[in-house]
Structures are given as structure tokens and as C-alpha cells.
């Protein structure tokens, strides 16, 4: 469904979000960088040239910024990945140079409606007061951005006004949404592992009790 032609987001703003999950949508508006949020530290998105050029996976953040549409509605946009050195160590915010290059007035964004995340057992707590998140808590992000509860969260995959010769923020390639973390080969590997462990257990048990 994500490969279908983009639909205007504001036409479906009141639709049930789950029905449009992973659907590609188009939004037009102006970014409000004063309310930007950093998600990370994390590695660059899979399928980007950043990983192909680097022997070691670099660390950075995903830059999430509210986009105020022409109709006044707000959408949270994951603009993409930025390296750690693009964040000011003292303020913990994105540097002014990047904001100047990205704050180019009205933009036309194509993105994919994305779901929230759930923290693992050892995931640190988010720090909304510092606008830093370790895991994607969309509901809390909407709250601190003064966005309505039914506002959408999208991952940017295209922009018709991306600054030339400017690699960051690096959006997630749309093709990567077709790559699942667990594929058939992973299941085969798991099956072979557990089958081998079972045979080993049977052999050890027989050897112990028939000794």
C-alpha cells in the first residue's frame, strides 16, 4: 500500500490513523524548529549511503519537527537522521547552521505514516523536558509540541525542496519499509537452532540415564 500514489494528508486528517498506517501521504507547510525533538542516539537508517560509506556504524539522532500545514493543522515529521556533531553539546539542540539550511519556508513533504514504539526492559526513560527521547513515544511528543491527539506522525521519505548538496537529515529510503526485521531465513535459522538443541538434549539425557 505504501507504493500507491500519495494522498493529500489534510483530506484524511480525521480518519482512523491505523487504517492509514504505512500509507504514503503528502503534506505542505512550514516547519516549526523551535519545537524540534531528538530521538536517539541511533544508527543511520538501513539502506542509506551513510552506512555503505562507513566501516563502523556512526551514532546520531532522528530529527522530529512539527510541520504546520497550510490549513493550520500540525503533523509531526521525522525528517531523518543527523550525526551527533550536528547537535550543540551545550544546548542539546540542532545547530543554527542546519536550521538555516532547512528553514526554507514552505515545504512539500512526502512521508509514510509511522507507528509508535514500545520501550524494552532496559530502555532508559525519555526526557521530554529536554526534548530528548530514547524511544518513540508519539503521544508524549504530540503533547510537548502542542499538537492535537489525532495529529499524524510521518517518516519523511521525499521532499521537493531538499537543500542541494546537503546530506542531512538523511531520510529512511521508502524501499526499506518492505524489509522486515524477521524474514523467512531468520525463522529457518531459529528452527535449525532449536532442533539442534533438542537433539543434543535427547542425546545427553539418554547417555546419562543409560550409562
Amino acid at each position: 500500500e505504501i507504493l500507491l500514489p500519495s494522498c493529500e494528508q489534510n483530506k484524511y486528517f480525521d480518519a482512523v490513523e491505523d487504517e492509514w498506517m504505512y500509507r504514503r501521504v503528502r503534506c505542505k507547510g512550514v516547519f516549526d524548529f523551535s519545537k524540534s525533538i531528538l530521538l536517539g542516539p541511533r544508527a543511520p537508517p538501513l539502506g542509506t549511503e551513510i552506512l555503505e560509506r562507513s566501516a563502523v556504524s556512526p551514532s546520531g539522532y532522528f530529527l522530529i519537527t512539527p510541520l504546520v500545514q497550510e490549513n493550520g493543522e500540525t503533523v509531526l515529521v521525522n525528517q531523518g537522521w543527523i550525526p551527533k556533531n550536528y547537535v550543540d553539546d551545550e544546548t542539546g539542540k540542532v545547530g543554527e547552521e542546519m536550521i538555516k539550511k532547512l528553514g526554507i519556508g514552505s515545504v512539500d513533504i512526502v512521508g509514510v505514516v509511522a507507528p509508535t514504539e514500545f520501550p524494552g526492559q532496559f530502555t532508559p526513560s525519555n526526557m521530554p523536558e529536554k526534548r530528548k527521547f530514547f524511544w518513540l513515544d508519539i503521544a508524549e511528543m504530540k503533547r510537548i509540541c502542542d499538537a492535537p491527539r489525532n495529529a499524524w506522525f510521518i517518516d519523511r521519505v521525499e521532499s521537493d525542496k531538499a537543500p542541494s548538496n546537503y546530506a542531512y537529515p538523511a531520510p529512511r529510503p521508502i524501499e526499506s519499509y518492505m524489509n522486515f526485521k524477521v524474514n523467512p531465513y531468520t525463522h529457518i535459522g531459529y528452527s535449525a537452532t532449536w532442533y539442534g538443541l533438542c537433539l543434543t538434549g535427547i542425546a545427553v539425557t539418554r547417555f546419562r540415564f543409560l550409562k
Side-chain angles (χ1 to χ4, degrees):
E1 192 174 23
I2 63 170
L3 299 179
L4 294 175
S6 302
C7 58
E8 292 293 338
Q9 191 272 342
N10 54 11
K11 290 183 181 179
Y12 305 99
F13 193 83
D14 293 326
V16 178
E17 185 171 319
D18 288 346
E19 296 180 0
W20 294 92
M21 197 64 66
Y22 297 112
R23 177 69 184 266
R24 191 171 61 175
V25 296
R26 182 182 298 277
C27 305
K28 299 178 182 179
V30 178
F31 281 119
D32 183 357
F33 285 97
S34 66
K35 297 180 179 179
S36 288
I37 297 169
L38 295 176
L39 175 65
R42 297 196 177 189
L46 294 175
T48 58
E49 295 182 359
I50 304 170
L51 289 176
E52 297 176 359
R53 297 195 305 261
S54 178
V56 180
S57 179
S59 181
Y61 300 93
F62 284 99
L63 177 63
I64 298 167
T65 309
L67 178 75
V68 182
Q69 297 186 108
E70 296 174 345
N71 62 359
E73 302 288 2
T74 299
V75 179
L76 295 189
V77 180
N78 178 4
Q79 297 199 62
W81 183 88
I82 59 174
K84 274 189 172 181
N85 61 317
Y86 279 70
V87 178
D88 190 299
D89 292 332
E90 295 183 2
T91 64
K93 297 181 179 180
V94 179
E96 292 295 328
E97 180 182 354
M98 169 169 280
I99 292 179
K100 289 179 181 179
K101 290 187 176 182
L102 293 176
I104 48 179
S106 180
V107 293
D108 189 347
I109 295 294
V110 175
V112 173
V113 181
T116 192
E117 295 177 348
F118 298 95
Q121 183 177 0
F122 302 105
T123 305
S125 299
N126 291 326
M127 298 185 292
E129 70 281 358
K130 296 183 178 180
R131 311 193 78 80
K132 282 190 175 182
F133 284 69
F134 293 99
W135 59 279
L136 183 61
D137 184 352
I138 295 179
E140 182 65 10
M141 290 181 176
K142 291 177 183 179
R143 185 188 70 80
I144 67 174
C145 289
D146 298 319
R149 293 178 60 185
N150 64 341
W152 283 4
F153 182 98
I154 68 172
D155 289 334
R156 179 175 72 89
V157 293
E158 301 173 32
S159 173
D160 67 350
K161 288 190 177 182
S164 59
N165 301 321
Y166 202 62
Y168 305 111
R172 179 179 173 181
I174 193 169
E175 296 81 6
S176 69
Y177 287 89
M178 305 303 294
N179 299 326
F180 297 93
K181 295 181 179 180
V182 180
N183 53 45
Y185 298 103
T186 305
H187 285 295
I188 293 174
Y190 288 154
S191 300
T193 299
W194 286 109
Y195 183 73
L197 290 174
C198 288
L199 291 179
T200 302
I202 293 173
V204 171
T205 302
R206 287 177 59 86
F207 176 78
R208 180 172 182 180
F209 287 100
L210 295 179
K211 185 176 179 180

